[in-house]
Amino acid sequence: MKLSELKNGETAVIVRLSGHGGFRKRIMEMGFVRGEKVKSVLDSPMHDPVKYHVMGYDVSLRRNEAAMIEVLPEEEAREELTPIHSFGCSSVCESCNSSIGCNCIYRPASTKRNNVIDVAIVGNPNSGKTSLFNALSGSSEHVGNYSGVTVDAKSGSLSYKGYRINVTDLPGTYSISAYSPEERYVRRHLFDKIPDVIINSVVASNIERNLYLTTELIDMNLRTVVALNMFDELEASGAKLDYYHLGGMLGVPMIPTVAKAGKGLDKLLDTVIELFEGNNKTIRHIHINYGNVLENELAPMQQELHSADDLPQQFPVRYWALKLLEQDAEALNLLESCKKLKEWNTKAALAAKRVHNQLGIDVETAISDAKYGFINGALQETYTPGDKDTQRKTRRIDRLVANKWLGFPLFIALMWLMFTAVFYLGAYPQEWIAAAFELVGHWVADIVPAGAVQDLLVNGIIGGVGSVAVFIPQILILYLFISLMEDSGYMARAAFIMDRIMHKMGLHGKSFIPMLMGFGCNVPAIMATRTIESRSSRLITILITPFMSCSARLPVLILFAGVFFPKYAPLVLIGLYALGILVAALTARLLRKTKFKEDETPFVMELPPYRMPTLLATLRHMWDKCEQYLRKIGTIVLASTVIIWFLSYYPRPEIDGQALAAADTEQMAAQNYEQSFIGMIGKAIEPVMEPMGLNWRATIGIITSIPAKELVVSTLGVLYSSDGEEGLQESLVSSGDFTPRSAAAFLVFILLFFPCIATVAAIASETGSRRWAVFAVVYNTTVAWVAGYIVYIIGGLF
């Protein structure tokens, strides 16, 4: 916990100091050193600053300064640190079994080390950052071979040599500025959380570009170790890197690793501990020389900032001076509490103008040029390029998959193969699962007496949940293809291929990646839009992604396509997915022509080398998605199924015994459903859906899809469970409620309708406005009704 969180009257033990330069030196001189007790005594009338008692006297600290001091409650400190008492003690001290009244301080235990180290992994997209995180923490985050897989921070932990190491995988970013949401997120995390150690994941075979981010970490003076990831690829190219010498020049230790194979991880963790304990000989803070012009402007800015007593101490003064010269908007936000910010800004603007006049380029470009010059100079002494062409395989594959004549046909063929496999290969295990649920239903019906409980178990839970669970094989096959496209690097090529079409829509090729991910799940797809630098393109992509048919809709599409269009089911699936893309394209074009008329940034996206997907990573990805689906079945689907059963079972009509004996069981059950609560709701809304040939039962299926799209199938499983011994597919045909014409309209409506609740929440979160979430709900529902009605009318012509 931070000292600023300590309540008045509470005592804690200091375990770590953050900050730089004069601030760190000042608070250490005032007694705030590791192992000392500190007590929060009194808040000022405005609750800031706070009076603390340390080393026998009182000290006033602002809360933002106290936040730079990490403490442990005394009870935890006794376990994690060894108490060392001072001389002159008398009687027995409760905490150290020595003298009462002693001035106990705590020092790290020599025999038992339970210290906690907070580590953040920072690196470029495709640098193996998430592979490194998985290898270290044992987590199962999916690793995709394209920009934007890690769109949020992932956390895990491990125990190593007496330490608990908490690892956070931060979003992939090429720098730490204010250009993209990832960059802002990473800097804000480093500013707020102040990790003990940074692991900078660097692609060893592409070290020059990757080290740019390293130079920014050097500017921030954060304790950093460079993981030279995929070092095997550098060795395979025949290149040589004197990483020990290079690390010494940069003041940052460098460790070769191969994360996927687990190589070099022990040495990496040993270095993390050395940095935490201050025992590493390589680490030192260097100043990158930015040339005479920039340095002449930096010097007075640094002097100006040094005299400020309210400058945030998370980063050194030189870093803040650089950011002021660059006019970095996000950095200025972090400095907004500084009293002289306006004055600094004025001076920085004049300095930036002088730099431009002398160099003919802006400050940001001058700094970038200097960084790359620094990197190039360091590599000239330490790096020898290889004589083997490691990109040869990638170029050969790209000649085929990105060819102007073959690119599109291959992409379409891959999509056709995916949906054909989903439909036909998934059908066999689907039948086995359906048979298993049917057997369980018969067994429960035999042992549970007839009545409400039996109906709930057989027709409600087993029938409703079973009707959704049977589609697990298709979900797994879909994610198998998505995982292979991501891990191999083809996903980035799909964006490259589609860029021209996306440009016609007013978007980037980058927008195609979230859209393609939307075939799996719309929520992570919407989160993946953070990699799109242009705000307008990002917002448009967020709003059109729900038109991509997610895996939750897949059970509905497979069910109705198989029942009403058995000969053309794969083509129907492809047509529905194509319709979703078409509607998304038209919507994007409409938004670009009206609300978002300008695109702020160009399309720039890395095309990573092709890599062979590993069996373990693919299976892990498939299992993760299957586990999520099963969890949804066991929670949302199960609870919703019970609610739907209750609404469809009650109220029960009063029927005398003679009428009951004479009545047709199926007819009477259907009548019961129609007179139930759910029947009343469906009847009330039925007129809205009637123009598409849909009755109250179909209407209820649509309404229950709002929490989760899978509920359409489980709802229909409950509503059609009365139709004798038939399965759901046979019941849909024999009921006469659907014709191929109305079934097509139903499919189109479900495809384009109101996104699920989780997707609506993601839209609100990622856009930062509920207004856009409401717009998505209203717009998507309107489009769904219009499109469904058009399909129904066209169907009547045939």
Side-chain angles (χ1 to χ4, degrees):
M1 64 184 292
K2 300 186 185 304
L3 179 59
S4 57
E5 299 170 11
L6 204 66
K7 296 178 181 177
N8 288 168
E10 292 181 344
T11 302
V13 177
I14 300 168
V15 294
R16 186 167 71 97
L17 303 177
S18 300
H20 298 278
F23 167 79
R24 185 183 176 90
K25 185 172 183 294
R26 187 173 76 250
I27 60 173
M28 290 179 69
E29 289 171 348
M30 293 171 68
F32 291 91
V33 293
R34 192 169 183 229
E36 286 294 338
K37 288 183 185 178
V38 60
K39 181 178 181 179
S40 176
V41 179
L42 180 69
D43 288 357
S44 67
M46 300 294 290
H47 301 287
D48 196 18
V50 181
K51 183 168 75 172
Y52 295 99
H53 186 80
V54 63
M55 277 197 174
Y57 63 99
D58 294 333
V59 179
S60 172
L61 276 185
R62 291 195 182 97
R63 288 190 180 274
N64 65 336
E65 294 172 334
M68 308 289 290
I69 303 171
E70 190 175 323
V71 298
L72 277 178
E74 278 196 282
E75 296 75 15
E76 293 181 34
R78 286 174 193 148
E79 298 176 6
E80 301 203 6
L81 302 169
T82 301
I84 301 177
H85 50 272
S86 58
F87 295 102
C89 296
S90 59
S91 303
V92 178
C93 171
E94 188 178 330
S95 65
C96 67
N97 292 321
S98 186
S99 307
I100 289 180
C102 79
N103 235 349
C104 273
I105 58 176
Y106 292 83
R107 292 290 181 256
S110 56
T111 57
K112 181 185 178 183
R113 299 185 301 176
N114 291 324
N115 294 301
V116 178
I117 307 176
D118 292 326
V119 173
I121 304 179
V122 177
N124 288 183
N126 307 307
S127 64
K129 195 168 48 61
T130 305
S131 293
L132 189 61
F133 171 74
N134 289 342
L136 290 174
S137 68
S139 181
S140 55
E141 290 301 326
H142 180 52
V143 182
N145 192 17
Y146 68 95
S147 172
V149 172
T150 308
V151 293
D152 209 339
K154 309 293 189 304
S155 297
S157 62
L158 71 151
S159 296
Y160 184 78
K161 294 187 176 180
Y163 285 88
R164 187 173 83 246
I165 302 176
N166 298 324
V167 185
T168 302
D169 179 24
L170 294 175
T173 176
Y174 295 105
S175 68
I176 308 177
S177 61
Y179 185 60
S180 72
E182 282 80 13
E183 293 167 355
R184 292 193 292 272
Y185 186 99
V186 169
R187 181 160 56 192
R188 179 62 73 168
H189 181 93
L190 299 180
F191 183 86
D192 291 338
K193 304 298 181 182
I194 319 173
D196 297 310
V197 178
I198 305 292
I199 294 179
N200 179 204
S201 181
V202 165
V203 180
S205 58
N206 190 11
I207 192 167
E208 183 174 4
R209 195 197 69 189
N210 278 241
L211 283 179
Y212 185 88
L213 181 60
T214 310
T215 63
E216 295 200 308
L217 295 172
I218 289 171
D219 284 339
M220 299 169 93
N221 194 19
L222 299 170
R223 284 183 286 190
T224 302
V225 53
V226 170
L228 294 167
N229 209 2
M230 295 177 257
F231 200 78
D232 54 335
E233 293 183 5
L234 179 140
E235 293 177 323
S237 72
K240 302 292 182 183
L241 177 66
D242 185 353
Y243 55 85
Y244 184 80
H245 184 202
L246 179 62
M249 292 173 68
L250 301 183
V252 178
M254 295 189 169
I255 310 297
T257 61
V258 183
K260 286 188 176 181
K263 295 181 180 178
L265 300 186
D266 286 347
K267 179 61 177 173
L268 180 65
L269 291 173
D270 288 340
T271 307
V272 166
I273 292 172
E274 288 174 4
L275 292 177
F276 178 73
E277 294 181 338
N279 294 331
N280 188 274
K281 297 178 180 178
T282 303
I283 193 79
R284 63 191 178 92
H285 182 48
I286 65 169
H287 284 175
I288 297 170
N289 190 318
Y290 290 108
N292 291 336
V293 174
L294 272 171
E295 292 293 341
N296 288 339
E297 299 297 343
L298 271 174
M301 283 298 302
Q302 286 180 248
Q303 189 174 357
E304 180 85 17
L305 297 179
H306 264 301
S307 62
D309 61 357
D310 56 356
L311 188 75
Q313 299 296 323
Q314 284 88 337
F315 306 138
V317 171
R318 183 177 172 85
Y319 176 80
W320 294 121
L322 278 167
K323 294 299 137 184
L324 281 166
L325 281 176
E326 287 181 328
Q327 291 294 287
D328 186 310
E330 182 67 15
L332 296 180
N333 287 337
L334 297 176
L335 296 174
E336 62 183 358
S337 62
C338 297
K339 292 176 289 189
K340 293 187 176 181
L341 178 59
K342 190 174 180 179
E343 180 183 335
W344 297 341
N345 258 331
T346 303
K347 292 181 178 180
L350 292 172
K353 190 174 182 180
R354 288 193 293 270
V355 170
H356 187 275
N357 291 337
Q358 293 180 68
L359 299 178
I361 54 176
D362 58 59
V363 170
E364 193 173 2
T365 304
I367 290 174
S368 296
D369 289 348
K371 284 182 185 293
Y372 276 117
F374 170 76
I375 294 167
N376 187 264
L379 290 179
Q380 281 185 354
E381 296 185 33
T382 57
Y383 178 71
T384 305
D387 54 1
K388 296 178 182 178
D389 185 2
T390 57
Q391 296 296 313
R392 187 178 178 184
K393 178 183 71 174
T394 292
R395 284 198 299 271
R396 283 181 172 179
I397 298 173
D398 273 344
R399 286 194 198 105
L400 181 67
V401 301
N403 184 276
K404 66 177 181 178
W405 301 111
L406 296 176
F408 282 108
L410 283 173
F411 177 73
I412 293 169
L414 180 60
M415 293 297 103
W416 178 85
L417 176 64
M418 179 172 74
F419 293 120
T420 301
V422 164
F423 191 84
Y424 286 117
L425 290 182
Y428 296 104
Q430 181 185 14
E431 291 175 2
W432 305 333
I433 296 172
F437 272 94
E438 188 176 346
L439 285 174
V440 172
H442 286 310
W443 176 72
V444 172
D446 289 338
I447 64 172
V448 177
V453 175
Q454 186 201 76
D455 198 80
L456 169 63
L457 294 173
V458 176
N459 296 328
I461 295 175
I462 297 173
V465 171
S467 60
V468 176
V470 295
F471 293 100
I472 290 174
Q474 281 94 343
I475 301 295
L476 285 173
I477 293 171
L478 176 68
Y479 275 108
L480 168 65
F481 277 87
I482 292 176
S483 176
L484 291 175
M485 285 192 291
E486 290 177 353
D487 293 353
S488 66
Y490 180 77
M491 189 76 89
R493 270 65 186 187
F496 176 74
I497 292 166
M498 295 297 295
D499 180 57
R500 187 69 178 268
I501 294 175
M502 301 302 290
H503 184 68
K504 296 288 185 184
M505 296 162 52
L507 294 172
H508 291 166
K510 259 188 180 181
S511 296
F512 188 69
I513 291 176
M515 292 171 67
L516 202 57
M517 288 178 66
F519 290 160
C521 180
N522 290 162
V523 175
I526 287 170
M527 293 174 67
T529 60
R530 295 179 190 176
T531 61
I532 303 170
E533 293 86 359
S534 165
R535 182 178 180 275
S536 62
S537 290
R538 187 165 65 251
L539 284 171
I540 293 173
T541 308
I542 287 171
L543 295 173
I544 66 175
T545 295
F547 289 122
M548 302 298 102
S549 183
C550 64
S551 60
R553 295 183 179 101
L554 191 59
V556 190
L557 307 189
I558 291 174
L559 174 66
F560 276 79
V563 170
F564 296 101
F565 312 98
K567 293 182 180 179
Y568 309 102
L571 289 177
V572 170
L573 282 179
I574 292 174
L576 287 166
Y577 278 75
L579 176 62
I581 294 172
L582 176 62
V583 172
L586 294 174
T587 300
R589 192 67 182 159
L590 177 65
L591 290 170
R592 182 60 78 188
K593 288 288 186 181
T594 54
K595 178 67 177 175
F596 306 104
K597 294 185 179 181
E598 292 184 7
D599 195 11
E600 302 89 348
T601 55
F603 169 54
V604 181
M605 188 183 71
E606 179 182 358
L607 293 176
Y610 289 99
R611 293 190 172 94
M612 182 64 68
T614 63
L615 178 63
L616 179 61
T618 302
L619 292 176
R620 179 183 281 171
H621 185 210
M622 292 170 65
W623 168 246
D624 286 347
K625 299 305 176 183
C626 181
E627 186 182 27
Q628 291 175 21
Y629 192 69
L630 289 171
R631 196 180 299 121
K632 186 185 282 188
I633 289 174
T635 53
I636 297 173
V637 174
L638 178 60
S640 301
T641 297
V642 172
I643 294 170
I644 293 163
W645 172 87
F646 178 85
L647 294 174
S648 65
Y649 193 79
Y650 294 102
R652 303 298 290 170
E654 295 182 6
I655 303 175
D656 59 42
Q658 188 176 358
L660 181 62
D664 178 270
T665 306
E666 293 182 25
Q667 184 181 359
M668 188 178 67
Q671 189 176 5
N672 289 347
Y673 277 135
E674 195 165 349
Q675 295 175 1
S676 66
F677 292 124
I678 207 166
M680 297 174 195
I681 297 170
K683 285 287 185 180
I685 306 174
E686 186 180 34
V688 178
M689 308 305 298
E690 203 168 17
M692 286 179 271
L694 302 176
N695 68 358
W696 66 272
R697 289 206 263 198
T699 303
I700 290 300
I702 289 169
I703 293 171
T704 55
S705 73
I706 293 174
K709 299 304 175 188
E710 301 95 332
L711 291 176
V712 176
V713 178
S714 62
T715 300
L716 297 178
V718 173
L719 295 179
Y720 287 92
S721 62
S722 61
D723 295 351
E725 296 296 317
E726 297 177 334
L728 178 55
Q729 294 180 339
E730 294 80 7
S731 297
L732 287 173
V733 175
S734 62
S735 68
D737 287 351
F738 292 93
T739 63
R741 182 184 172 193
S742 63
F746 184 80
L747 282 171
V748 169
F749 192 91
I750 288 295
L751 173 73
L752 306 174
F753 178 49
F754 187 125
C756 70
I757 293 297
T759 302
V760 174
I763 292 172
S765 173
E766 295 302 313
T767 61
S769 172
R770 294 180 183 177
R771 182 167 58 93
W772 288 118
V774 172
F775 170 81
V777 169
V778 175
Y779 178 79
N780 289 33
T781 304
T782 304
V783 168
W785 194 96
V786 171
Y789 181 66
I790 291 172
V791 167
Y792 185 74
I793 295 300
I794 293 174
L797 301 177
F798 297 96

